[in-house]
Amino acid sequence: MKRPDTQTVMVALLSFNGGFVDAAGFFGLQGLFVAHVTGNFVTLGAALVHGSHGIIGKVLALPEFVAVVALARIAGRALQARKLPAQRILLAAKVVMLLAFFLLAVLYGPFPDPNTPAALLTGFSGIAAMALQNAVQRVHFANLPPTTMMTGSTVQATLDAVDLVGGGDPAQAAAVRARFRRLVLTLVSFGAGCALAALLYAKIGFWCLGVAVVVGAVAAMIRSTSADA
């Protein structure tokens, strides 16, 4: 049996964590998406209309996400200029932020009012972790499908499925098939992460985030080993 390649494992792990952390944050932080910028626009509109909690966190989520991505880019360039392993260091920083998200959530949660300082700091830790994941992926392995945004992946997977069934360019069939498999793996892994987070959050609350920390650490070690090789 052929062993999965490193990138296939990375797609599965990062997509699983993207779904897991987003779902756990949504349940525990009154509708805050820590990895999904578009979702926060929707829930912000709903909060403004209905007067529900969580407006502050949703307003600040986008500028924080942008700031962390920008800082990751700057830090990555500085590390590369000094011949340091930028990818490994940034992935390690992501795991540190996931750990902070986990510890703050367990210590101070649950959060009936997500506008409190403790709730905001907890949410910002999760957002920083996912912003780092997105930034590292876009810079260091951009050939992988997005691991936190499934709309584009769903569209592309559907188009590829149609082309594979019939009507596509036969010369491109192998490349389309490989991309389709990776996209499907991304979608399935993300969905599995969401489902498991929902089940575990219902049982053990924010303690479920320990799973995300472990998965993130495994992904960082796998990618670091590959990069060093």
Side-chain angles (χ1 to χ4, degrees), residues 16-29 32 34 94-111 119 121-123 125-127 129-130 193 196-217:
F16 175 89
N17 244 16
F20 193 100
V21 174
D22 225 14
F26 181 83
F27 287 120
L29 294 166
L32 177 68
V34 298
K94 174 209 159 183
V95 176
V96 170
M97 296 311 302
L98 278 179
L99 180 60
F101 186 34
F102 167 58
L103 294 176
L104 289 168
V106 169
L107 287 173
Y108 297 107
F111 302 106
L121 183 60
T122 301
S125 298
I127 292 170
M130 290 297 99
L196 184 59
L199 291 172
L200 290 180
Y201 186 85
K203 297 290 185 181
I204 59 176
F206 275 125
W207 285 99
C208 69
L209 287 172
V211 174
V213 176
V214 172
V215 172

Side-chain angles (χ1 to χ4, degrees), residues 65-163:
F65 194 93
V66 171
V68 173
V69 170
L71 288 173
R73 181 62 156 169
I74 294 169
R77 286 178 171 174
L79 291 167
Q80 289 176 331
R82 291 166 174 77
K83 308 299 182 182
L84 295 172
Q87 180 181 291
R88 179 168 54 186
I89 292 171
L90 291 175
L91 283 174
K94 174 209 159 183
V95 176
V96 170
M97 296 311 302
L98 278 179
L99 180 60
F101 186 34
F102 167 58
L103 294 176
L104 289 168
V106 169
L107 287 173
Y108 297 107
F111 302 106
D113 182 0
N115 288 330
T116 62
L120 291 172
L121 183 60
T122 301
F124 293 161
S125 298
I127 292 170
M130 290 297 99
L132 281 169
Q133 175 170 313
N134 278 277
V136 172
Q137 177 180 347
R138 293 287 293 179
V139 173
H140 295 281
F141 39 105
N143 59 312
L144 299 183
T147 56
T148 61
M149 300 169 287
M150 296 298 111
T151 303
S153 294
T154 302
V155 171
Q156 188 61 59
T158 303
L159 295 174
D160 288 347
V162 172
D163 289 343

